[in-house]
Amino acid sequence: MEFDKILYGTAYYYEYLPYDRLDKDIEMMKQANINVVRIGESTWSTYEKQDGQFDFTPLDTVLNAMYEADIDVIVGTPTYAIPTWLAKSYPDVMVQNNGKRVPYGSRQIFDITNPIFLKYAERIIRKMIQHIANHPAVIGYQVDNETKHYGTSSENVQRSFVQYIKQQYNGDLEKFNKDFGLDYWSNRINSWEDFPSMDGTINGSLKTEFERFQRQKVTEYLTWQVALVNQYRTENQFITHNFDFEWRDYSFGVQPDVNHFDAHKALDVVGGDIYHPSRKHLTGAEVSFAGDILRSLKQDNYLVMETQAQAFKQQVPYPGQLRQLAYSHIASGANMVEYWHWHSIHNSAETYWKGILSHDFKENPIYNEVSQTGAELEKLSPKLVNLKHHADVAFLVSNQSLTALEQFPFSDSRNYNDLFRALYDEFYKLNIRTDIQDEQHINLSKYKLIIVPALYSVSDEFLQRLNTYVKSGGHVMYTFKSGFADEHVKVRTTQQPGIINKAAGIHYELFVDPDGCQLIPDNKVIDENSDIAIKDWMELLIPDTAQVIAKYDDPNWKEYAAITQNKYGKGRVIYIGCFPSNDVLKQLITNMVQSLNLLVVKDTFPIIIKQAINNKQQKIDFVFNYSSEKIKTKTKFIGSELFSHSEVNGELILEPWSVQLISIN
């Protein structure tokens, strides 16, 4: 979906203000060149104070004021936080985990499949959207907010799961028992009426399937909301949602509780919430990986619905970082950057998650930097909106494998996303653009190199597709635990790594804990002075046709390989049989991408370079310095620097935490 400008804005909560200062806020927004606000997504109890008593006066007040100020508005459906009267009158709407109902108080504590909740949610959505759909300030809608399944396992969810399995198996209970190995510990189900609750299951296959089903409920819920809004929205209004990611005090990895690759389909444009470390911990990698996922969903630009301004005390940015990050979002494909949120809240749970304005509502260094960026974007927007990107490398990620590896972990301290990020961050630091897709949607032939972290649970058919891709000239980098189990998380009876063993040129029967073991590297690929520690997991690989890149230093395992590469047909496979150090991963990846001529610039982190093509078919180079030191680039640039309007012919000198934009005609 194309936009006519870069949207630059903030979430705005008129309902949370300690006193009415709407006019002053708008005055300050205009001074900062903010051109869009998001409102409404958390205010159900304000608009419906009691059952059936609707009052949209606060909503009208903000919409009218923003329209007069020529500020666009995205309205959120208010269903992610339910009112007290609904929870009191119908306690069954509250989410249930392991048979226990969650008490009222927080947000996102309801069962998204509960018929009573859906009835009241539909009513407020219809009333609200019908009321505002023709308002000229409204450019789009956000359905719900950071929706997930919240672990819901209520009776209606359990009943629905049984029907889901029945449909999957056309009622063939015998085949279902066999596929999921339910004879173990007498878990066999001999009658559909005997189907037990999934709360107590010890069967990893069944638990993984239940979580797949829960993710499907999220897709259905968002699709349902989109269908409701579609009945009222005008032709020039879009519908989006703010997907979030695995949370570790910031956005970290693939979201385990939503299948983004399915859930986005009903939306006009993808949106996401991207949070990250700050100050000396800022690398930009979170902005990049999250942007790559969001952009890859529709192979199109996306919206950053939320990112931090000040946030908590550990996330207050250094001078320059906020501006730098806005351009980092745009460089990754964002058509909107929106801060959470405008004003700091004076009470309740997020009192000290601070917005653009602090609690005193005065101008401050954060506001001033937002204003600087807004003024720049006002001028540069025609050159930066609807940027297009190309990637020769794709990450193949898998919600199914992520969930399965929660049931059968490879480490006590690391999980699927730790492995994904360890690999992703090295590509990011080498300035190699990547797409991120899953096994259901990836077009393998589009890419020169596919990175496959721990594809533990997957169908025979897809592994055969990967083999064919390599044989036809593609290149794959697999890690340990790939190809091990089928789509039902049932371990294959073939030699591991299952169907890909011929393409990888190896097999193995044994896997062990490292217990202090290190690598013995082949210094043609891995330098002997590297950090050769192994973090987790060791598959004792036996080369068939593969070349050994590294072995294990334990004399008892000296005959086994740790990392191999193999030519198969016209392509090549790297297989990493352990979780090695970042140093080793960097060298493996560097060697691979150099052999494929994928290193297009000389610089590496902390210099980050993102390239894109704008509407006028001009190439734009975004050049970032993610450090506190002034740095001269190794890469030479020829073109016009968009901030200074100066001509460039050579290396750049970048100030700490800065960005330069080079337009190449």
Side-chain angles (χ1 to χ4, degrees):
M1 179 177 175
E2 292 205 343
F3 285 74
D4 59 6
K5 62 184 176 183
I6 293 290
L7 296 171
Y8 189 59
T10 181
Y12 183 65
Y13 301 112
Y14 177 72
E15 299 82 2
Y16 298 173
L17 288 166
Y19 59 89
D20 188 345
R21 48 170 284 120
L22 179 58
D23 291 342
K24 180 61 177 178
D25 283 333
I26 288 177
E27 177 188 331
M28 295 182 74
M29 288 179 189
K30 295 296 288 185
Q31 289 174 357
N33 282 281
I34 281 175
N35 58 28
V36 65
V37 295
R38 183 189 71 165
I39 66 173
E41 86 280 355
S42 59
T43 50
W44 187 344
S45 65
T46 301
Y47 303 148
E48 189 180 7
K49 292 183 173 64
Q50 291 295 332
D51 188 349
Q53 298 177 15
F54 299 99
D55 180 7
F56 296 111
T57 303
L59 190 61
D60 294 335
T61 299
V62 176
L63 286 174
N64 293 337
M66 293 298 171
Y67 178 67
E68 289 298 320
D70 196 28
I71 295 175
D72 294 330
V73 181
I74 298 170
V75 178
T77 61
T79 47
Y80 90 112
I82 65 174
T84 53
W85 59 260
L86 180 59
K88 181 181 179 181
S89 299
Y90 304 101
D92 284 349
V93 305
M94 305 304 287
V95 74
Q96 293 180 51
N97 302 126
N98 295 319
K100 295 181 179 179
R101 188 177 293 132
V102 174
Y104 182 85
S106 186
R107 61 183 185 175
Q108 299 169 315
I109 50 173
F110 49 86
D111 177 358
I112 62 173
T113 73
N114 181 273
I116 295 173
F117 165 74
L118 293 173
K119 170 187 170 182
Y120 283 94
E122 178 174 349
R123 188 175 70 177
I124 185 64
I125 291 169
R126 287 187 182 278
K127 291 283 188 181
M128 183 176 177
I129 304 303
Q130 186 176 30
H131 183 79
I132 64 170
N134 293 310
H135 198 289
V138 179
I139 62 168
Y141 303 95
Q142 174 190 301
V143 288
D144 208 68
N145 184 78
E146 297 179 339
T147 308
K148 293 174 280 294
H149 59 67
Y150 317 130
T152 184
S153 62
S154 60
E155 287 186 14
N156 66 292
V157 172
Q158 301 286 350
R159 285 193 301 270
S160 296
F161 180 62
V162 175
Q163 294 305 311
Y164 161 85
I165 294 293
K166 272 188 178 181
Q167 186 176 11
Q168 295 283 94
Y169 280 86
N170 294 315
D172 189 341
L173 197 53
E174 189 65 31
K175 187 175 189 312
F176 167 67
N177 277 291
K178 183 177 180 181
D179 283 353
F180 285 82
L182 295 179
D183 284 302
Y184 184 78
W185 281 3
S186 289
N187 276 201
R188 181 181 178 85
I189 301 169
N190 295 310
S191 168
W192 291 110
E193 289 72 28
D194 295 340
F195 210 111
S197 167
M198 290 298 95
D199 289 341
T201 186
I202 51 81
N203 184 291
S205 298
L206 202 51
K207 179 64 173 174
T208 300
E209 190 67 23
F210 184 61
E211 291 195 33
R212 187 212 298 260
F213 170 78
Q214 289 174 308
R215 288 192 293 270
Q216 183 177 304
K217 295 294 109 179
V218 179
T219 298
E220 292 172 2
Y221 175 69
L222 291 176
T223 302
W224 171 78
Q225 284 219 14
V226 169
L228 291 177
V229 176
N230 268 331
Q231 295 177 38
Y232 303 100
R233 61 100 168 246
T234 63
E235 289 185 0
N236 62 340
Q237 294 170 338
F238 61 81
I239 301 177
T240 189
H241 174 73
N242 54 333
F243 292 117
D244 62 353
F245 301 89
E246 188 201 321
W247 184 256
R248 300 192 188 180
D249 293 327
Y250 53 87
S251 307
F252 187 81
V254 177
Q255 173 57 258
D257 296 338
V258 184
N259 185 339
H260 291 161
F261 303 97
D262 285 337
H264 78 90
K265 292 178 183 178
L267 307 172
D268 298 310
V269 58
V270 173
D273 294 356
I274 304 176
Y275 293 98
H276 46 78
S278 290
R279 302 202 295 276
K280 63 184 179 182
H281 305 289
L282 177 64
T283 66
E286 288 74 25
V287 171
S288 187
F289 99 75
D292 284 355
I293 290 179
L294 296 172
R295 188 188 66 253
S296 296
L297 294 178
K298 291 187 183 293
Q299 291 291 304
D300 202 356
N301 302 95
Y302 59 93
L303 308 177
V304 177
M305 305 300 296
E306 294 182 22
T307 191
Q308 70 240 45
Q310 297 183 63
F312 288 127
K313 63 183 185 301
Q314 69 270 23
Q315 291 170 303
V316 178
Y318 286 148
Q321 286 184 336
L322 208 63
R323 171 177 176 266
Q324 180 188 52
L325 284 159
Y327 290 104
S328 185
H329 289 297
I330 294 168
S332 288
N335 269 341
M336 180 174 82
V337 179
E338 198 171 57
Y339 297 106
W340 201 89
H341 44 113
W342 172 249
H343 61 87
S344 299
I345 298 169
H346 293 74
N347 58 286
S348 202
E350 293 173 315
T351 298
Y352 289 101
W353 183 287
K354 295 178 68 179
I356 296 172
L357 301 185
S358 293
H359 294 104
D360 59 8
F361 298 117
K362 304 295 184 184
E363 293 186 14
N364 61 64
I366 301 299
Y367 172 82
N368 293 338
E369 199 164 312
V370 168
S371 300
Q372 176 191 354
T373 307
E376 292 170 350
L377 289 175
E378 176 71 18
K379 296 176 182 177
L380 294 177
S381 185
K383 291 182 179 290
L384 302 182
V385 70
N386 305 316
L387 293 176
K388 302 305 176 189
H389 308 80
H390 173 76
D392 289 316
V393 179
F395 272 82
L396 175 64
V397 299
S398 171
N399 276 108
Q400 173 76 1
S401 293
L402 185 159
T403 304
L405 287 171
E406 290 175 353
Q407 300 302 310
F408 303 106
F410 60 82
S411 169
D412 293 333
S413 57
R414 280 171 281 270
N415 68 9
Y416 179 93
N417 274 325
D418 290 289
L419 178 60
F420 163 62
R421 283 296 304 275
L423 291 159
Y424 179 88
D425 287 15
E426 295 305 326
F427 279 88
Y428 169 74
K429 291 174 183 177
L430 289 169
N431 285 309
I432 296 174
R433 172 84 68 176
T434 62
D435 285 348
I436 301 175
Q437 289 282 6
D438 75 344
E439 67 271 29
Q440 303 298 324
H441 301 91
I442 192 168
N443 178 1
L444 295 172
S445 63
K446 180 181 175 181
Y447 304 101
K448 294 180 180 178
L449 173 62
I450 309 292
I451 309 302
V452 185
L455 188 61
Y456 178 71
S457 174
V458 66
S459 69
D460 291 358
E461 291 76 15
F462 186 75
L463 292 180
Q464 293 288 8
R465 282 180 57 198
L466 284 168
N467 285 346
T468 301
Y469 164 77
V470 177
K471 197 170 186 178
S472 301
H475 298 77
V476 174
M477 181 176 285
Y478 289 106
T479 78
F480 60 94
K481 299 291 281 186
S482 290
F484 206 89
D486 68 13
E487 67 270 33
H488 304 301
V489 200
K490 194 172 186 179
V491 173
R492 289 187 165 87
T493 58
T494 56
Q495 276 190 325
Q496 295 298 347
I499 292 167
I500 62 173
N501 59 354
K502 189 172 182 181
I506 51 100
H507 70 277
Y508 67 92
E509 293 95 8
L510 304 177
F511 45 85
V512 301
D513 183 79
D515 196 24
C517 190
Q518 300 187 103
L519 295 173
I520 300 175
D522 171 3
N523 59 19
K524 293 178 182 177
V525 178
I526 303 170
D527 188 89
E528 60 186 7
N529 295 318
S530 304
D531 175 3
I532 54 175
I534 298 172
K535 297 177 182 178
D536 296 291
W537 197 261
M538 285 171 46
E539 293 168 355
L540 305 183
L541 307 179
I542 300 171
D544 298 319
T545 58
Q547 173 190 353
V548 177
I549 292 177
K551 290 189 171 185
Y552 300 114
D553 74 346
D554 188 320
N556 299 286
W557 306 132
K558 63 182 179 180
E559 63 187 280
Y560 297 107
I563 304 171
T564 61
Q565 63 178 339
N566 187 58
K567 291 183 179 179
Y568 181 66
K570 297 178 182 179
R572 180 164 47 122
V573 168
I574 297 284
Y575 189 92
I576 306 170
C578 59
F579 196 154
S581 68
N582 294 345
D583 192 13
V584 167
L585 289 176
K586 176 182 178 181
Q587 292 178 67
L588 288 171
I589 292 166
T590 301
N591 181 267
M592 176 66 102
V593 297
Q594 283 177 334
S595 71
L596 297 175
N597 296 314
L598 295 176
L599 282 177
V600 296
V601 298
K602 296 180 180 179
D603 289 282
T604 58
F605 183 83
I607 298 296
I608 292 297
I609 301 170
K610 299 271 190 181
Q611 299 176 328
I613 304 295
N614 70 11
N615 283 337
K616 297 180 179 180
Q617 300 305 303
Q618 297 171 313
K619 187 173 86 168
I620 308 291
D621 285 341
F622 293 75
V623 189
F624 302 93
N625 176 11
Y626 278 99
S627 80
S628 292
E629 305 294 328
K630 182 184 290 189
I631 299 180
K632 183 178 182 180
T633 66
K634 298 176 183 176
T635 304
K636 294 182 179 180
F637 298 87
I638 300 175
S640 176
E641 208 287 316
L642 296 182
F643 296 125
S644 64
H645 307 289
S646 60
E647 294 302 310
V648 174
N649 188 355
E651 297 88 353
L652 302 178
I653 296 177
L654 283 92
E655 296 296 324
W657 308 108
S658 68
V659 56
Q660 293 190 35
L661 274 56
I662 313 299
S663 173
I664 302 171
N665 298 324

mmCIF file of all heavy atoms in Angstrom, residues 217-231:
data_model
loop_
_atom_site.group_PDB
_atom_site.id
_atom_site.type_symbol
_atom_site.label_atom_id
_atom_site.label_comp_id
_atom_site.label_asym_id
_atom_site.label_seq_id
_atom_site.Cartn_x
_atom_site.Cartn_y
_atom_site.Cartn_z
ATOM 1 N N LYS A 217 -6.472 -19.007 16.486
ATOM 2 C CA LYS A 217 -7.563 -18.227 17.079
ATOM 3 C C LYS A 217 -7.253 -16.727 17.004
ATOM 4 O O LYS A 217 -8.176 -15.912 16.843
ATOM 5 C CB LYS A 217 -7.796 -18.644 18.531
ATOM 6 C CG LYS A 217 -8.286 -20.069 18.739
ATOM 7 C CD LYS A 217 -9.672 -20.277 18.169
ATOM 8 C CE LYS A 217 -9.654 -21.130 16.930
ATOM 9 N NZ LYS A 217 -10.995 -21.362 16.364
ATOM 10 N N VAL A 218 -5.978 -16.354 17.128
ATOM 11 C CA VAL A 218 -5.595 -14.941 17.002
ATOM 12 C C VAL A 218 -5.866 -14.458 15.583
ATOM 13 O O VAL A 218 -6.425 -13.370 15.369
ATOM 14 C CB VAL A 218 -4.116 -14.729 17.376
ATOM 15 C CG1 VAL A 218 -3.734 -13.261 17.216
ATOM 16 C CG2 VAL A 218 -3.848 -15.196 18.804
ATOM 17 N N THR A 219 -5.464 -15.261 14.610
ATOM 18 C CA THR A 219 -5.723 -14.905 13.209
ATOM 19 C C THR A 219 -7.215 -14.727 12.963
ATOM 20 O O THR A 219 -7.646 -13.751 12.325
ATOM 21 C CB THR A 219 -5.155 -15.991 12.274
ATOM 22 O OG1 THR A 219 -3.735 -16.071 12.448
ATOM 23 C CG2 THR A 219 -5.464 -15.687 10.820
ATOM 24 N N GLU A 220 -8.004 -15.650 13.466
ATOM 25 C CA GLU A 220 -9.454 -15.575 13.273
ATOM 26 C C GLU A 220 -10.044 -14.347 13.964
ATOM 27 O O GLU A 220 -10.944 -13.682 13.420
ATOM 28 C CB GLU A 220 -10.114 -16.846 13.805
ATOM 29 C CG GLU A 220 -9.777 -18.084 12.990
ATOM 30 C CD GLU A 220 -10.267 -19.365 13.638
ATOM 31 O OE1 GLU A 220 -10.906 -19.286 14.721
ATOM 32 O OE2 GLU A 220 -10.006 -20.445 13.087
ATOM 33 N N TYR A 221 -9.535 -14.030 15.153
ATOM 34 C CA TYR A 221 -10.052 -12.885 15.909
ATOM 35 C C TYR A 221 -9.753 -11.569 15.184
ATOM 36 O O TYR A 221 -10.630 -10.704 15.047
ATOM 37 C CB TYR A 221 -9.419 -12.888 17.302
ATOM 38 C CG TYR A 221 -9.760 -11.700 18.164
ATOM 39 C CD1 TYR A 221 -11.044 -11.515 18.655
ATOM 40 C CD2 TYR A 221 -8.787 -10.770 18.504
ATOM 41 C CE1 TYR A 221 -11.358 -10.426 19.453
ATOM 42 C CE2 TYR A 221 -9.082 -9.681 19.306
ATOM 43 C CZ TYR A 221 -10.368 -9.511 19.783
ATOM 44 O OH TYR A 221 -10.675 -8.433 20.569
ATOM 45 N N LEU A 222 -8.523 -11.412 14.702
ATOM 46 C CA LEU A 222 -8.177 -10.193 13.982
ATOM 47 C C LEU A 222 -8.937 -10.097 12.665
ATOM 48 O O LEU A 222 -9.396 -9.017 12.275
ATOM 49 C CB LEU A 222 -6.668 -10.135 13.739
ATOM 50 C CG LEU A 222 -5.802 -9.935 14.980
ATOM 51 C CD1 LEU A 222 -4.322 -9.998 14.622
ATOM 52 C CD2 LEU A 222 -6.114 -8.615 15.675
ATOM 53 N N THR A 223 -9.080 -11.217 11.976
ATOM 54 C CA THR A 223 -9.836 -11.231 10.722
ATOM 55 C C THR A 223 -11.291 -10.844 10.962
ATOM 56 O O THR A 223 -11.905 -10.112 10.168
ATOM 57 C CB THR A 223 -9.762 -12.629 10.082
ATOM 58 O OG1 THR A 223 -8.383 -12.972 9.857
ATOM 59 C CG2 THR A 223 -10.510 -12.678 8.757
ATOM 60 N N TRP A 224 -11.845 -11.310 12.077
ATOM 61 C CA TRP A 224 -13.217 -10.963 12.465
ATOM 62 C C TRP A 224 -13.352 -9.463 12.701
ATOM 63 O O TRP A 224 -14.312 -8.829 12.223
ATOM 64 C CB TRP A 224 -13.575 -11.761 13.717
ATOM 65 C CG TRP A 224 -14.852 -11.393 14.392
ATOM 66 C CD1 TRP A 224 -16.118 -11.746 14.010
ATOM 67 C CD2 TRP A 224 -14.987 -10.613 15.582
ATOM 68 N NE1 TRP A 224 -17.033 -11.227 14.896
ATOM 69 C CE2 TRP A 224 -16.373 -10.535 15.867
ATOM 70 C CE3 TRP A 224 -14.075 -9.986 16.437
ATOM 71 C CZ2 TRP A 224 -16.859 -9.840 16.973
ATOM 72 C CZ3 TRP A 224 -14.553 -9.293 17.535
ATOM 73 C CH2 TRP A 224 -15.938 -9.216 17.799
ATOM 74 N N GLN A 225 -12.397 -8.871 13.420
ATOM 75 C CA GLN A 225 -12.465 -7.430 13.662
ATOM 76 C C GLN A 225 -12.338 -6.642 12.365
ATOM 77 O O GLN A 225 -13.034 -5.645 12.149
ATOM 78 C CB GLN A 225 -11.378 -6.997 14.654
ATOM 79 C CG GLN A 225 -11.664 -7.347 16.084
ATOM 80 C CD GLN A 225 -11.233 -6.261 17.066
ATOM 81 O OE1 GLN A 225 -10.948 -5.132 16.682
ATOM 82 N NE2 GLN A 225 -11.196 -6.606 18.338
ATOM 83 N N VAL A 226 -11.435 -7.077 11.487
ATOM 84 C CA VAL A 226 -11.279 -6.394 10.204
ATOM 85 C C VAL A 226 -12.592 -6.420 9.422
ATOM 86 O O VAL A 226 -13.009 -5.414 8.836
ATOM 87 C CB VAL A 226 -10.147 -7.042 9.381
ATOM 88 C CG1 VAL A 226 -10.154 -6.519 7.941
ATOM 89 C CG2 VAL A 226 -8.788 -6.771 10.019
ATOM 90 N N ALA A 227 -13.271 -7.576 9.430
ATOM 91 C CA ALA A 227 -14.542 -7.699 8.708
ATOM 92 C C ALA A 227 -15.585 -6.725 9.253
ATOM 93 O O ALA A 227 -16.378 -6.142 8.485
ATOM 94 C CB ALA A 227 -15.053 -9.131 8.784
ATOM 95 N N LEU A 228 -15.602 -6.519 10.564
ATOM 96 C CA LEU A 228 -16.541 -5.562 11.152
ATOM 97 C C LEU A 228 -16.221 -4.137 10.705
ATOM 98 O O LEU A 228 -17.116 -3.387 10.283
ATOM 99 C CB LEU A 228 -16.486 -5.647 12.681
ATOM 100 C CG LEU A 228 -17.036 -6.914 13.339
ATOM 101 C CD1 LEU A 228 -16.824 -6.855 14.847
ATOM 102 C CD2 LEU A 228 -18.513 -7.110 13.015
ATOM 103 N N VAL A 229 -14.951 -3.756 10.799
ATOM 104 C CA VAL A 229 -14.562 -2.391 10.423
ATOM 105 C C VAL A 229 -14.805 -2.157 8.934
ATOM 106 O O VAL A 229 -15.198 -1.060 8.512
ATOM 107 C CB VAL A 229 -13.088 -2.131 10.797
ATOM 108 C CG1 VAL A 229 -12.657 -0.746 10.328
ATOM 109 C CG2 VAL A 229 -12.893 -2.257 12.312
ATOM 110 N N ASN A 230 -14.587 -3.186 8.131
ATOM 111 C CA ASN A 230 -14.792 -3.065 6.687
ATOM 112 C C ASN A 230 -16.209 -2.651 6.319
ATOM 113 O O ASN A 230 -16.440 -2.070 5.254
ATOM 114 C CB ASN A 230 -14.467 -4.393 5.994
ATOM 115 C CG ASN A 230 -13.027 -4.463 5.540
ATOM 116 O OD1 ASN A 230 -12.404 -3.446 5.226
ATOM 117 N ND2 ASN A 230 -12.481 -5.667 5.500
ATOM 118 N N GLN A 231 -17.165 -2.954 7.181
ATOM 119 C CA GLN A 231 -18.562 -2.626 6.883
ATOM 120 C C GLN A 231 -18.842 -1.128 6.982
ATOM 121 O O GLN A 231 -19.876 -0.660 6.492
ATOM 122 C CB GLN A 231 -19.483 -3.393 7.825
ATOM 123 C CG GLN A 231 -19.429 -4.903 7.632
ATOM 124 C CD GLN A 231 -20.306 -5.638 8.628
ATOM 125 O OE1 GLN A 231 -21.396 -5.187 8.972
ATOM 126 N NE2 GLN A 231 -19.841 -6.790 9.102
#
